[in-house]
């Protein structure tokens, strides 16, 4: 059966994530209310503006709903900030917003992906920088020594935008994680 994946659709790049997940065979649900998390196997928190996300999530009770959500979660860019220690505290990371400096605020870079020969093109848009990662965080890709793709249990986070290229590998990894999590919970 196709996994049911929610994409938080309050703001930001949710359409691109939805399109990519559909391409990979998932059933996609746009999530705007807490009850829409019921029955989902996974959830994407997309890029956008983290301050706006946090404000809207509080307003709709989605912050608490996400804290009690038991499925796999994928946060990209602003979505990574939302999940970090200083926000929902679901992933043991400390991130700094817009920390790549003005001149390189947005850039692309080839990333080496753990376990893959072919580089992954990372699109960074006013990206957060990971300042510290706890011992349970597994770094899957780095850029100039900073983690840019990481996993902690059922959480996957990327500081770049894998939904903005044609390369589906990061989303495929997320769907693998969703499957693993379903097996764990079954
Ligand atoms: N700069 C944004 C923030 O701090 C994140 C940018 C993005 O998600 N593309 O929330």
């Amino acid at each position: 059966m196709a996994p049911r994946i929610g994409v938080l659709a309050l703001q930001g790049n949710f359409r691109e994530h939805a399109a990519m997940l559909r391409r990979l065979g998932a059933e996609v649900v746009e999530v705007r209310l807490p009850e829409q998390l019921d029955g989902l196997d996974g959830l994407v928190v997309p890029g956008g503006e983290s301050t706006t996300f946090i404000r809207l999530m509080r307003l709709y009770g989605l912050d608490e709903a996400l804290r009690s959500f038991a499925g796999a979660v994928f946060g990209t860019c602003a979505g990574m900030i939302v999940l970090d220690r200083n926000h929902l505290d679901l992933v043991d990371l400390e991130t700094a917003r817009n920390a790549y400096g003005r001149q390189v605020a947005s850039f692309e870079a080839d990333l080496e992906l753990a376990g893959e020969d072919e580089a992954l093109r990372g699109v960074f848009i006013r990206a957060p920088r990971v300042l510290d990662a706890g011992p349970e965080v597994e770094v899957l890709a780095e850029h100039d020594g900073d983690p840019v793709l990481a996993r902690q249990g059922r959480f996957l986070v990327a500081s770049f935008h894998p939904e903005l290229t044609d390369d589906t590998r990061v989303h495929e990894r997320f769907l693998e994680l969703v499957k693993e999590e379903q097996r764990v919970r079954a």
Side-chain angles (χ1 to χ4, degrees), residues 11-13 46-54 76-82 96-99 105-106 123-128 158-161 163-164:
Q11 194 248 348
N13 287 59
E49 193 55 47
S50 56
T51 49
T52 307
F53 269 117
I54 286 154
T76 56
C77 202
M80 174 166 101
I81 301 172
V82 167
R97 298 181 60 205
N98 305 328
S106 298
V123 178
F124 294 81
I125 304 171
R126 300 178 62 233
S159 55
F160 58 97
H161 287 268
E163 78 285 7
L164 296 183

Side-chain angles (χ1 to χ4, degrees), residues 13 16-17 20 46-47 76 160-167 171:
N13 287 59
E16 291 84 350
H17 277 288
M20 192 164 258
T76 56
F160 58 97
H161 287 268
E163 78 285 7
L164 296 183
T165 64
D166 274 334
D167 194 329
H171 286 77

Side-chain angles (χ1 to χ4, degrees), residues 106-160:
S106 298
F107 59 96
E108 292 190 16
D110 278 333
L111 307 173
E112 220 176 278
L113 197 58
E116 306 251 348
D117 294 332
E118 203 187 314
L120 181 83
R121 194 74 181 154
V123 178
F124 294 81
I125 304 171
R126 300 178 62 233
R129 191 173 210 149
V130 173
L131 302 181
D132 188 53
E136 278 167 42
V137 176
E138 182 193 351
V139 176
L140 303 173
E142 288 184 342
H143 173 63
D144 282 349
D146 292 323
V148 294
L149 179 69
R151 173 186 173 175
Q152 181 182 340
R154 63 192 171 87
F155 293 91
L156 182 68
V157 287
S159 55
F160 58 97

